[in-house]
């Protein structure tokens, strides 16, 4: 009987001990979930910043990405809302630091050996977050662990890594504030085994490897669980609960000391022992009295049994009440700690929506204290941006599902509006009725603004506010799909401004930008609200005219655009009047008639616009199939011209220039020809424009110059030391990427020729070009003592001031004036005026296109200095030119008439 009693009591106390351990286990498991939620929220917040900046960097140019100033300005745009908890840095594709959000100069620091960089060299990390092991910061010397993401271009090219170092101390602070008992330990461990943060003993445990411990033995078995072990850090026995984060290499572990459970078990054993001894004494006494009378023994037996049962029941109740009280007390402490220390705003309302309490984070967010808010309804904090229908849908969701999640605008106490992400959850009573509502809020105003800015920068032109090339392509594809559904045609209009470069050169780029803004406004007002106007870049604009019900709508729109663009633009202020006169050239293509895909439509519209420019500008032109053929022919000719340069198919001819006073050849003009293998000998008019647009004019010009210089050397060796050859120089060769005049001068020195042996021949339009490169190169030629000849004089708008400014040596009267020379016509008067003006300015005059003796006589009478034309000679080879000069030097042929007969 005694043994049975002992067994029963021991069993009861053992059960109480097991329940105590179960309580500790439940406590640590709840604690683990709370700490996991906090860490996960902070990781997600930082990851959102990494994703946002990675998308922003993706749309930057290579120059912007490698500019520390640009990148520092971009990375610091998030403001100071995160304090010193973490910062953002960008590493280029080689691991070199470019810039950081803190403004510190880290440019050029090498981080290629860090795990958070090397991980992203593998394309398998595309779109994934990497969390590195804890370490000491190389520059900050702080205890950190690193979050990083791979940055790629739109084509998938690796551009670098965006990385966020997190200060571990923030987690130490939260863990320390969350402990309601000094025996509790909280640790955040990296999946590789190293400790990121732990309380207590943070300094000793940081980066300590827990791989060989019981924690990872259990992690290999299950992603969450509970075990009991002596801690390898502080040698205290604890019950540990742990959880492995989903899809993240992080583990949260919480331990609770079970010393209290052991103490209670020992105490209960002592109490039980004393009780059993007393029970045995009573049983012995009962046995003694049982010898006297069986009845009394039985009564006492029954009394003792009843007493034992009552005591047992009372003991169970007391133990149960004590455990329940402790569990409730610990849960309340934990809930209060989380409520007060949460980084998110929290609000609790009653079933009618009246505020009962808010946490400090909510007061900081709204500007109101808890006392000011109690008793008010939660929706009173919102703004009028949400209408009544919004709240009706919200309340319906809460009533049906018990929760609601979304975004809404709140108003701060000072009147400022801010956007919050909110989540409502319902707490029910025992009967299943709504008892409380709990709301979690976080301010996402800056995050939304940053996302909006990044999106606008990626899709809209910063100058005009119009959709950019990327957004245009998206709209074009959408409108094509809409056309396929509605079967109503769509037109793509490609517009390019005429003479825009002159506006930039004469009025400056600031006025040019102002002009582009005005152009955008006029274009937008010229089309329907459903149409799309976009700027592709420079002075190129596109208009998508969708769902056309009448073909005349396209013509009417094109005419309105031409009218708006040709109307003068006032680009000045009240005291600064600048009026710009431009026009536009427009190309139009239709979908689906002209093309089945976006690339074809854009190419067609561009070809039609180019045709409009070729036809004189300030007009529109529809795409036609022959334009594709013209483009194909042009491309073929470009390729053939490249082969011509490589295969020595270019030829150089010389047209003699005659001194009209003596009738002798004193100069020659170098002319290039192309001996095409199929089409024969081609004049410059058939291929020079192609050479200019393709950039080959530079190489061709240098080749012509060298051929002319070699011919001058031969002719001067014949006894004509002052003989000169004029070389035509294209406007393209005067630009920044044109030929180097110093190389020409060096080549003349190699041939032992004076610089004035070559005359540089340019057109009037080149003198009107205001670019600095043109003026610098012209003056450079003059400083080297090369002479300048102005071709086609009289057909452009060159003024006398330009003749003096550039110190022109020769002007060539255009052949159109020479062809009109006959007695009594205006041609004679014009030529005489040009010659008289030139002589007053000490400029010699060369007449081009002399074909008849009458023209020669009129020019000679007017005082013209030099002449060239078929009357004297057609363009000839260098050998023929040398032969004519030798004939001139012969006494037999030393007359103008004999020379003419020879030339003819």
């Amino acid at each position: 009987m005694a043994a049975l009693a002992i067994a029963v009591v021991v069993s009861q106390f053992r059960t109480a001990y097991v329940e105590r351990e179960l309580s500790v286990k439940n406590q640590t498991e709840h604690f683990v979930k709370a700490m996991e939620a906090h860490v996960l929220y902070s990781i997600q917040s930082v990851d959102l910043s990494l994703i946002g900046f990675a998308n922003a960097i993706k749309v930057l140019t290579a120059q912007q990405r490698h500019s520390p100033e640009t990148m520092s300005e971009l990375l610091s745009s998030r403001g100071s809302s995160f304090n010193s908890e973490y910062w953002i840095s960008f590493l280029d594709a080689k691991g070199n630091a470019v810039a950081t959000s803190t403004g510190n100069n880290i440019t050029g620091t090498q981080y290629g050996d860090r795990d958070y960089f090397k991980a992203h060299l593998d394309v398998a990390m595309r779109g994934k977050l990497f969390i590195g092991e804890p370490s000491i910061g190389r520059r900050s010397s702080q205890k950190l662990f690193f979050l990083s993401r791979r940055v790629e271009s739109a084509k998938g090219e690796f551009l670098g890594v965006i990385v966020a170092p997190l200060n571990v101390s923030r987690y130490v602070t939260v863990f320390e504030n969350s402990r309601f008992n000094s025996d509790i330990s909280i640790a955040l461990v990296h999946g590789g085994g190293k400790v990121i943060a732990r309380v207590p003993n943070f300094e000793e445990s940081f980066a300590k490897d827990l791989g060989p411990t019981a924690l990872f033995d259990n992690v290999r078995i299950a992603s969450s669980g509970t075990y009991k072990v002596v801690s390898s850090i502080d040698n205290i026995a604890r019950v540990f609960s742990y959880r492995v984060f989903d899809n993240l290499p992080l583990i949260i572990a919480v331990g609770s000391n079970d010393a209290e459970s052991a103490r209670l078990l020992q105490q209960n054993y002592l109490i039980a022992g004393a009780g059993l001894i007393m029970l045995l004494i009573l049983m012995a006494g009962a046995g003694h009295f049982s010898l006297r009378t069986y009845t009394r023994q039985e009564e006492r037996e029954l009394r003792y049994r009843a007493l034992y049962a009552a005591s047992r029941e009372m003991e169970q109740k007391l133990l149960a009440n004590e455990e329940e009280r402790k569990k409730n007390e610990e849960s309340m402490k934990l809930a209060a700690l989380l409520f007060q220390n949460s980084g998110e705003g929290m609000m609790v309302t009653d079933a009618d929506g009246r505020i009962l309490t808010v946490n400090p984070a909510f007061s900081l967010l709204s500007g109101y204290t808890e006392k000011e808010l109690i008793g008010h309804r939660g929706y009173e904090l919102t703004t009028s941006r949400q209408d009544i229908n919004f709240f009706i849908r919200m309340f319906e969701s809460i009533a049906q599902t018990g929760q609601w999640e979304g975004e809404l605008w709140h108003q701060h106490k000072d009147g400022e509006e801010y956007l919050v992400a909110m989540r409502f959850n319902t707490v029910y009573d025992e009967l299943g009725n709504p008892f409380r509502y709990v709301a979690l809020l976080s301010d996402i105003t800056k995050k939304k603004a940053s996302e909006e800015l990044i999106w606008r920068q990626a899709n809209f032109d910063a100058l005009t506010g119009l959709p950019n090339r990327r957004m245009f392509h998206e709209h074009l594809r959408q409108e094509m799909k809409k056309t396929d559904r509605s079967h109503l045609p769509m037109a793509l209009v490609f517009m390019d401004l005429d003479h825009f470069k002159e506006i930039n050169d004469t009025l400056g780029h600031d006025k040019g930008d102002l002009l582009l803004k005005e152009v955008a406004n006029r274009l937008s007002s010229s089309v329907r609200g459903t149409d799309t106007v976009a700027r592709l870049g420079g002075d190129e604009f596109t208009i998508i005219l969708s769902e056309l019900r009448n073909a005349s709508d396209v013509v009417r729109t094109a005419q309105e655009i031409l009218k708006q663009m040709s109307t003068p633009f006032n680009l000045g202020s009240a005291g600064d009047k600048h009026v710009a006169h431009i026009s536009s050239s427009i190309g139009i293509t239709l979908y689906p008639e002209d093309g089945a895909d976006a690339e074809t439509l854009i190419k067609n519209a561009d070809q039609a616009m180019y045709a409009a420019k070729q036809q004189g500008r300030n007009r529109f032109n529809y795409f036609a199939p022959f334009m594709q053929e013209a483009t194909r022919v042009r491309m073929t000719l470009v390729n053939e011209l490249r082969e011509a340069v490589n295969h020595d198919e270019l030829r150089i001819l010389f047209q003699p220039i005659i001194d009209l006073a003596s009738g002798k050849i004193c100069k020659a003009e170098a002319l290039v020809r192309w001996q095409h293998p199929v089409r024969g000998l081609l004049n410059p008019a058939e291929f020079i424009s192609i050479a200019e647009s393709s950039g080959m004019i530079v190489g061709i010009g240098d080749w012509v110059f060298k051929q002319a210089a070699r011919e001058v050397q031969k002719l001067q060796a014949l006894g004509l030391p002052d003989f000169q050859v004029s070389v035509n120089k294209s406007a393209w060769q005067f630009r920044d990427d044109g030929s180097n005049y110093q190389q020409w001068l060096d080549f003349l020195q190699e041939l032992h020729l004076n610089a004035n042996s070559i005359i540089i021949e340019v057109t009037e339009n080149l003198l009107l070009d205001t670019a600095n490169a043109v003026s610098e190169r012209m003056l450079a030629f003059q400083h080297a003592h090369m002479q300048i000849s102005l071709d086609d004089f009289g057909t452009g708008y060159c003024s006398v001031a330009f003749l003096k400014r550039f110190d022109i040596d020769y002007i060539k009267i255009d052949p159109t004036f020479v062809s009109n020379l006959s007695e009594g016509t205006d041609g004679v008067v014009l030529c005489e005026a040009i010659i008289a003006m030139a002589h007053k300015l000490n400029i010699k005059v060369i007449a081009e296109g002399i074909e008849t003796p009458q023209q020669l006589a009129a020019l000679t009478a007017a005082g013209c200095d030099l002449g060239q034309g078929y009357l004297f000679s057609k363009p000839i080879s260098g050998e023929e030119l040398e032969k004519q000069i030798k004939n001139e030097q012969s006494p037999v042929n030393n007359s103008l008439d004999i020379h003419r007969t020879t030339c003819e």
Side-chain angles (χ1 to χ4, degrees), residues 345 360-368 410 412-413 418 420 441-443:
F362 187 94
S363 297
L364 182 63
L365 183 65
S366 65
Y368 293 98
H410 273 210
H412 194 271
K413 184 178 180 179
Y418 59 97
V420 298
L441 305 88
S442 58
D443 187 354

Side-chain angles (χ1 to χ4, degrees), residues 683-710:
N683 289 322
E686 299 178 75
F687 65 90
I688 287 297
S689 62
I690 294 175
E692 290 179 335
S693 61
S694 63
M696 287 186 286
I697 189 64
V698 175
I700 293 175
D702 291 343
W703 180 83
V704 171
F705 176 84
K706 291 180 179 180
Q707 297 299 318
R710 292 189 179 99

Side-chain angles (χ1 to χ4, degrees), residues 10-23:
V10 170
S11 174
Q12 293 298 318
F13 283 109
R14 182 62 184 174
T15 301
Y17 175 75
V18 171
E19 290 178 351
R20 168 67 185 178
E21 281 202 333
L22 182 60
S23 174

Side-chain angles (χ1 to χ4, degrees), residues 76-110:
S76 61
S77 63
R78 64 185 178 90
S80 60
S81 63
F82 298 104
N83 299 323
S84 61
E85 294 178 355
Y86 73 92
W87 59 94
I88 303 292
S89 300
F90 176 64
L91 315 180
D92 64 17
K94 295 182 178 179
N96 295 317
V98 179
T100 182
S101 61
T102 61
N104 295 332
N105 183 12
I106 66 170
T107 304
T109 304
Q110 173 57 234

Side-chain angles (χ1 to χ4, degrees), residues 113-127:
D113 60 333
R114 292 297 181 106
D115 57 347
Y116 54 77
F117 176 81
K118 293 192 290 185
H120 293 291
L121 297 177
D122 187 355
V123 295
M125 287 298 295
R126 178 177 296 161

